Amino acid sequence: MIKFLDLQQINLRHKAELLAAFERVIDKGWFIQGKEVAAFEAEFATYCGTKHAIGVANGLDALSLILRAYKELGVLSDGDEVIVPANTFIASILAISANNLVPVLVEPAEDTFLFDAASIKACVTAKTKAVMPVHLYGQLCDMEPILLLAEEYGLKVIEDAAQAHGASYKGKKAGSFGDAAGFSFYPGKNLGALGDGGAVTTNNDRLATVIRALANYGSAVKYQNQYKGGNSRLDEVQAALLRVKLRHLEADTARRRNLAKRYLEGIHSTKIILPKMLREEGHVWHLFVVRTADRHALQQYLAQAGVQTQIHYPIPPHQQQAYAEWNHLSYPITEKIHREVLSLPMSPILSEVEIDQVIHLLNAY
């Protein structure tokens, strides 16, 4: 069996380091908002090239807290529009609607799965106040034109970098392009915790201060509550474990790139549409997603041969029951993508033999 993602083996590589980190937290006896979180925040901010990183409970909270903080600062108001890709994971959209803002869905490019400045510009209205580029599957959106567009129209740029830890362009990493960015440390991410976790990165001091307070019951000073906040804090254990895994992230990314290159050079089946890279150096290959006209048949064929695959994602947001008010809308490119995508095994512990076996099976399909 070639597993889609073997989290047990991925983490066992670092078992001794992870256990030492866990014991360090136990021995200190401090579990919330301690030195491990502060150290991880500093290390992750340095890694991303930003002034601040704020540890939070998960990736959805990271995005939601950015938007909430902008509302507290008077930058956003109820009913303002936020432009977001139509083919994203639903968390991107939930963060917007949870803040009484209006998600405006934009079609992506069919070959890269990413939206661009031209498609964004066509949807800008007087109510548009922000744009949320989603670096889907580990590839950065084409940020330079998006940033220029945002400057032209006075829009905030909030990166959804949940799948793009370490993705880069011209020396800048995901999370450092926009006004703020949300990251997820869900266990299956390239930088994954052993539980839930997330972070916000930003260079904006005031925004960082408000986000920290909102995530801590609305309090910057203990027992003094400035905002009607919530509880969304990265805990000491997860921070300590993430510090270990951050040290190995670049090596894991290099391995993912090598495996993706083997896929791209080896798969020749005319029935398989390979993903397109905007730029080779920046992709971190959180997922390796192909397209095919008969996805079910291909997935069954691979399963029978002992290869696990996943679908990211089977139902687009505008067809979900949660957004029933959108069910009548049509986004043809997004719908086609969601019908055709299939994620192949991709992780730093896959062997060349396993990758070659998957390639052989696809070429024989």
Side-chain angles (χ1 to χ4, degrees):
M1 169 69 71
I2 299 177
K3 292 186 177 181
F4 173 73
L5 184 66
D6 191 339
L7 286 177
Q8 182 182 32
Q9 293 302 317
I10 285 173
N11 289 304
L12 281 175
R13 298 175 302 159
H14 313 305
K15 183 176 180 179
E17 291 177 89
L18 292 170
L19 286 173
F22 183 75
E23 289 177 359
R24 190 169 67 240
V25 176
I26 293 292
D27 290 343
K28 288 179 180 176
W30 192 295
F31 304 105
I32 299 292
Q33 291 188 317
K35 291 182 179 179
E36 294 293 341
V37 170
F40 173 71
E41 289 177 338
E43 290 161 6
F44 191 64
T46 298
Y47 177 79
C48 293
T50 59
K51 190 173 181 180
H52 302 280
I54 304 107
V56 298
N58 53 66
L60 172 56
D61 280 5
L63 295 174
S64 186
L65 283 164
I66 294 167
L67 295 168
R68 171 71 190 282
Y70 273 131
K71 290 185 71 178
E72 294 291 349
L73 290 168
V75 175
L76 298 175
S77 302
D78 286 359
D80 285 345
E81 295 175 353
V82 180
I83 295 176
V84 64
N87 63 313
T88 186
F89 179 57
I90 201 166
S92 313
I93 296 168
L94 290 172
I96 299 168
S97 58
N99 279 286
N100 293 319
L101 302 168
V102 179
V104 176
L105 306 184
V106 174
E107 290 268 57
E110 189 175 329
D111 53 356
T112 65
F113 310 113
L114 306 173
F115 70 3
D116 57 26
S119 58
I120 295 168
K121 185 172 184 177
C123 294
V124 173
T125 72
K127 294 288 290 180
T128 306
K129 293 296 186 294
V131 58
M132 186 180 287
V134 179
H135 305 316
L136 200 63
Y137 306 148
Q139 178 165 220
L140 283 171
C141 295
D142 193 5
M143 290 302 297
E144 288 186 347
I146 292 174
L147 292 171
L148 288 172
L149 179 71
E151 184 178 5
E152 178 183 353
Y153 287 94
L155 308 178
K156 292 298 179 184
V157 178
I158 300 162
E159 297 173 73
D160 183 339
Q163 300 183 359
H165 314 76
S168 63
Y169 175 60
K170 291 186 178 181
K172 293 190 66 175
K173 284 189 168 66
S176 68
F177 288 91
D179 297 284
F183 286 87
S184 167
F185 303 129
Y186 182 78
K189 303 298 186 186
N190 291 26
L191 179 61
L194 273 68
D196 267 322
V200 173
T201 56
T202 185
N203 291 314
N204 186 314
D205 295 343
R206 180 62 176 147
L207 183 70
T209 298
V210 176
I211 288 171
R212 285 190 184 281
L214 287 170
N216 186 41
Y217 301 101
S219 173
V221 178
K222 194 170 185 178
Y223 301 132
Q224 296 180 26
N225 303 85
Q226 185 176 357
Y227 309 103
K228 296 176 183 177
N231 178 358
S232 180
R233 302 177 300 204
L234 183 68
D235 67 65
E236 286 287 284
V237 171
Q238 296 303 337
L241 301 178
L242 284 165
R243 293 183 69 195
V244 171
K245 299 188 76 175
L246 181 59
R247 295 196 291 268
H248 299 279
L249 181 57
E250 285 297 296
D252 281 355
T253 298
R255 178 63 179 163
R256 288 175 179 273
R257 286 172 174 158
N258 287 336
L259 296 176
K261 185 177 181 181
R262 291 178 77 96
Y263 272 145
L264 291 168
E265 293 178 350
I267 298 171
H268 302 299
S269 171
T270 57
K271 295 183 179 181
I272 308 296
I273 301 172
L274 296 171
K276 179 183 177 182
M277 290 184 287
L278 289 175
R279 53 192 69 87
E280 185 173 354
E281 78 278 7
H283 207 318
V284 295
W285 298 104
H286 171 58
L287 298 171
F288 191 95
V289 181
V290 300
R291 291 168 42 224
T292 186
D294 193 347
R295 176 177 62 202
H296 178 73
L298 177 59
Q299 188 172 39
Q300 290 297 108
Y301 163 77
L302 290 172
Q304 290 168 4
V307 177
Q308 290 183 342
T309 58
Q310 296 287 336
I311 299 171
H312 297 89
Y313 302 97
I315 305 172
H318 72 278
Q319 293 181 340
Q320 297 283 359
Q321 184 178 348
Y323 290 98
E325 66 272 22
W326 293 344
N327 288 174
H328 68 286
L329 300 177
S330 175
Y331 294 92
I333 296 174
T334 292
E335 291 159 17
K336 183 178 183 182
I337 287 171
H338 283 257
R339 284 195 308 269
E340 296 182 349
V341 290
L342 187 67
S343 299
L344 303 181
M346 170 56 70
S347 81
I349 64 166
L350 284 172
S351 69
E352 279 81 1
V353 171
E354 289 173 321
I355 289 290
D356 288 344
Q357 184 177 343
V358 176
I359 290 170
H360 173 76
L361 287 166
L362 289 171
N363 288 336
Y365 174 62

